[in-house]
Amino acid sequence: MKCPNCESTSYRKNGRLKGRQRYQCKDCGRQFLEPLATQLPSSFSGDQKQNVHNEQNGYSKTARQQNSLNSPQILSFREELIQLFSSSEFLDLFLESSGFQKIIQALQKQQQSQFSSDSPTSILLLDAENLRDLDAEVEAFLSHLSTYPLTVKLAFANWKKTGGDTELYQRGYQMIHVPLGKDSADAQMIAMGAAISQHYSQAKEVFVCSSDWLFTYLMTELQHQGFSVYRVSKKQPKKFPKVLTVEQMNTGEIKSYSIPKKAEIPTPQDLMDKIQTLINETHDSLEERLDKLSQINQLFEIEKQLISTQNPDRSQTEISNSNGKLEPASQQTASDSTEDTVLFKSKEQLETAIKSILTTCLEGSQQETVTISELAIEFKKVYGEPPKNLIKKLKLAANLYKFLQNFASLIVIKKKNIYHVGFKEPSIPGITSQEDVEKILIKIMEDLQPKYENNFVPLEVLSQQFQLDYKISLSQLLKELEIAGKFITFVKSCETFVVKKQDNKYHVRLS
């Protein structure tokens, strides 16, 4: 005989239970009973003991053996086994066994590993009898709204009458069964929800998924306990499909989700932004079409020039231009060659050209801003190519709108969902160039120099005095005027200043 736990043959007797010898393993401490085959009732005959032994070892049964197993002795032995397994002594022995203790320890470790993390989490309470449309897509939408991971999900219902329990179980829900009765699921959900802080100390947010008004009291209690609470309810407006609404009870913010469309319903501002995006995309598409049309027109002009070259008699033939007027071919060629010489090889050249076009547009409109579309059209009239193409060739930005946002001297604003551009008002009136900044610094230096030895003023003192006098930093002003480089670079470029470095600090005086 071996120990059923460690298969050790080293054991000792440890009393008797219901007439059967009990043993205890010397190696692992496991208590076990003597095998039944070795201790059958004394009333059993030799053939009956052999039949029971054959049954335990899986041998085939004959009709005679089947009849013998239904004998009064066997039935009496079965009753003894049933009494043995249901007795308190057997339960005590089972609960004290090392195998059962190992199972308990494994379950405790699993539970501790699941909830021992200090990281905050979100909890979802689902009234499955009331809200049956919470599928995987809706759950993903709620996870997107939650601040913390949605790790604990509890579903309440009488699962005998409610479908969908298999799907919820597969998605990781803890299935809380309630007895049949009105508001049973609501009562159980309120009871467990109010004690969330005791069972889940890491919980910070709670999603209460039900349309029943009873849960208002639960949500109020959870807010008093310091939770961030969301109400998830279902509505069906007239002539519209079902909608799921998620209300943040602490802030009042509401999000909506279309159940048939399986998509979030945007706010009015989001809708306007999407419409504006479509308008901008349409505008970009229109610019591309105009660009292609311009290319076709250029190819047509080149073809006419080739024809004119191959037929000298037609060299002076007048060719119609885009305005419907007639010009000599020589003049058209000259204008084409002039356009071909216009090249933008750097960001600075393109910025200068755009500012020049913007100045012209503002003078013509007598307004402070013009639309980006008007600026692009006027630019193409002058340079023969849309600014968007040049921006992409120089790899400066994705489109004209984003390129204009990088201008420190320009402002891009939205008026009635249409973007406008104009020049910023200068932070210091009358200061518009590098020479103006230099004049201001000279005045400040004249006041500071007498206070320092050899008239050398620390550079940071000059910068601080400028900011005190004009309420703006020098670096910010240089950026606004689009003067490249740092402040020390600017000072070194001015002939009126002498700069020296002492103790890793720059000093400056008037030359």
Side-chain angles (χ1 to χ4, degrees):
M1 185 171 59
K2 297 180 180 180
C3 173
N5 184 41
C6 64
E7 297 186 354
S8 172
T9 57
S10 177
Y11 52 85
R12 64 180 178 84
K13 292 183 179 181
N14 189 24
R16 302 181 69 84
L17 179 65
K18 293 290 184 179
R20 295 179 60 192
Q21 183 62 52
R22 181 166 58 186
Y23 299 91
Q24 183 176 17
C25 180
K26 294 182 179 179
D27 294 333
C28 66
R30 168 72 181 271
Q31 299 185 61
F32 56 94
L33 297 175
E34 184 178 17
L36 293 176
T38 61
Q39 203 175 63
L40 292 173
S42 59
S43 59
F44 274 34
S45 65
D47 293 339
Q48 290 173 330
K49 291 182 179 180
Q50 182 64 31
N51 291 338
V52 174
H53 179 72
N54 292 341
E55 277 293 314
Q56 294 176 348
N57 290 276
Y59 298 135
S60 59
K61 308 178 184 64
T62 62
R64 182 177 58 80
Q65 290 171 333
Q66 288 286 355
N67 293 333
S68 64
L69 289 176
N70 294 327
S71 63
Q73 294 88 343
I74 292 294
L75 295 176
S76 176
F77 179 61
R78 289 177 179 174
E79 292 178 357
E80 289 182 10
L81 289 179
I82 293 173
Q83 292 177 0
L84 171 64
F85 292 145
S86 60
S87 64
S88 59
E89 292 85 354
F90 177 80
L91 291 177
D92 293 340
L93 179 63
F94 174 73
L95 295 176
E96 293 175 0
S97 64
S98 60
F100 179 75
Q101 295 298 325
K102 290 181 179 179
I103 295 175
I104 295 299
Q105 292 175 2
L107 292 175
Q108 289 176 347
K109 288 182 179 179
Q110 181 179 5
Q111 185 175 12
Q112 289 175 0
S113 63
Q114 184 175 3
F115 300 109
S116 62
S117 174
D118 294 332
S119 59
T121 184
S122 298
I123 293 183
L124 188 147
L125 304 177
L126 172 61
D127 181 3
E129 295 181 353
N130 177 268
L131 194 61
R132 302 183 182 181
D133 297 309
L134 204 149
D135 54 14
E137 287 80 7
V138 175
E139 187 178 317
F141 171 66
L142 298 181
S143 300
H144 173 70
L145 295 181
S146 64
T147 308
Y148 310 103
L150 193 59
T151 55
V152 181
K153 297 176 287 187
L154 308 177
F156 301 81
N158 184 308
W159 301 113
K160 292 183 179 180
K161 70 169 187 175
T162 304
D165 54 336
T166 303
E167 180 187 357
L168 291 174
Y169 180 77
Q170 292 174 349
R171 283 160 48 196
Y173 281 78
Q174 298 182 38
M175 316 297 290
I176 310 300
H177 178 71
V178 297
L180 185 64
K182 184 179 180 181
D183 298 332
S184 296
D186 297 352
Q188 182 66 23
M189 185 168 160
I190 291 173
M192 293 189 65
I196 281 178
S197 59
Q198 301 177 14
H199 302 286
Y200 305 98
S201 59
Q202 303 84 9
K204 302 296 180 182
E205 287 183 328
V206 182
F207 287 82
V208 180
C209 303
S210 179
S211 300
D212 289 346
W213 65 272
L214 282 173
F215 292 103
T216 304
Y217 301 106
L218 171 61
M219 289 183 285
T220 303
E221 172 62 23
L222 291 174
Q223 290 184 72
H224 290 164
Q225 295 180 19
F227 288 98
S228 178
V229 184
Y230 293 83
R231 180 205 295 270
V232 182
S233 58
K234 180 175 61 177
K235 296 181 180 180
Q236 187 163 5
K238 294 181 179 180
K239 301 181 181 180
F240 286 97
K242 287 185 287 188
V243 172
L244 202 72
T245 61
V246 182
E247 181 180 0
Q248 220 294 340
M249 303 301 295
N250 304 73
T251 62
E253 182 182 5
I254 298 177
K255 295 282 186 179
S256 300
Y257 182 90
S258 174
I259 295 178
K261 298 291 184 181
K262 296 187 181 300
E264 180 182 356
I265 300 175
T267 62
Q269 182 60 41
D270 293 336
L271 283 173
M272 298 305 298
D273 292 340
K274 289 185 177 182
I275 293 173
Q276 181 60 39
T277 302
L278 291 174
I279 292 174
N280 293 337
E281 290 176 353
T282 303
H283 175 72
D284 293 341
S285 176
L286 181 60
E287 279 192 351
E288 291 178 0
R289 294 177 186 178
L290 291 174
D291 183 44
K292 291 179 180 179
L293 182 61
S294 176
Q295 294 177 5
I296 294 173
N297 182 59
Q298 291 178 7
L299 293 174
F300 179 69
E301 294 295 339
I302 293 173
E303 177 66 19
K304 288 196 294 184
Q305 292 178 22
L306 290 175
I307 294 174
S308 175
T309 304
Q310 294 172 2
N311 297 274
D313 295 338
R314 299 181 57 191
S315 60
Q316 299 299 324
T317 304
E318 295 177 341
I319 302 174
S320 301
N321 62 5
S322 60
N323 294 326
K325 298 180 181 180
L326 299 178
E327 292 182 355
S330 58
Q331 294 182 10
Q332 181 69 22
T333 304
S335 63
D336 290 341
S337 62
T338 302
E339 291 181 359
D340 292 339
T341 59
V342 177
L343 298 174
F344 297 97
K345 298 182 179 180
S346 66
K347 175 184 177 182
E348 290 73 18
Q349 292 179 355
L350 184 57
E351 288 179 350
T352 302
I354 289 178
K355 288 181 182 179
S356 176
I357 297 298
L358 178 59
T359 302
T360 304
C361 293
L362 293 175
E363 291 176 352
S365 63
Q366 296 182 352
Q367 296 181 358
E368 295 181 354
T369 60
V370 296
T371 64
I372 294 180
S373 300
E374 292 174 350
L375 177 63
I377 293 172
E378 190 64 28
F379 185 94
K380 185 176 180 181
K381 287 181 182 179
V382 177
Y383 296 102
E385 190 171 1
K388 181 185 70 174
N389 294 357
L390 299 172
I391 292 171
K392 289 184 177 180
K393 287 178 182 179
L394 296 174
K395 298 180 180 180
L396 301 176
N399 50 45
L400 179 58
Y401 166 73
K402 292 184 178 179
F403 181 67
L404 293 175
Q405 284 185 318
N406 296 327
F407 282 70
S409 59
L410 299 182
I411 181 172
V412 181
I413 58 176
K414 183 188 288 188
K415 295 181 180 180
K416 297 181 179 179
N417 297 321
I418 298 177
Y419 287 102
H420 290 66
V421 60
F423 287 102
K424 284 184 180 178
E425 290 292 333
S427 300
I428 305 177
I431 307 301
T432 58
S433 65
Q434 179 173 341
E435 291 75 15
D436 296 333
V437 179
E438 186 176 352
K439 292 177 182 179
I440 291 178
L441 294 178
I442 291 173
K443 292 181 180 179
I444 297 177
M445 285 294 297
E446 290 175 348
D447 295 333
L448 292 176
Q449 280 188 165
K451 302 177 182 179
Y452 292 89
E453 184 179 359
N454 297 328
N455 293 332
F456 274 100
V457 180
L459 193 65
E460 61 267 20
V461 174
L462 176 60
S463 176
Q464 293 172 2
Q465 188 62 43
F466 179 90
Q467 187 165 359
L468 287 174
D469 293 343
Y470 294 97
K471 310 303 180 184
I472 183 175
S473 66
L474 270 167
S475 58
Q476 185 178 350
L477 178 63
L478 295 177
K479 183 178 179 181
E480 182 180 306
L481 297 177
E482 297 180 0
I483 299 175
K486 299 181 180 179
F487 176 44
I488 181 61
T489 305
F490 171 77
V491 173
K492 288 181 178 180
S493 66
C494 299
E495 297 180 356
T496 55
F497 297 108
V498 176
V499 180
K500 75 171 184 177
K501 191 174 184 180
Q502 183 178 358
D503 299 331
N504 293 326
K505 292 185 178 181
Y506 288 100
H507 297 72
V508 61
R509 69 173 174 83
L510 297 176
S511 58

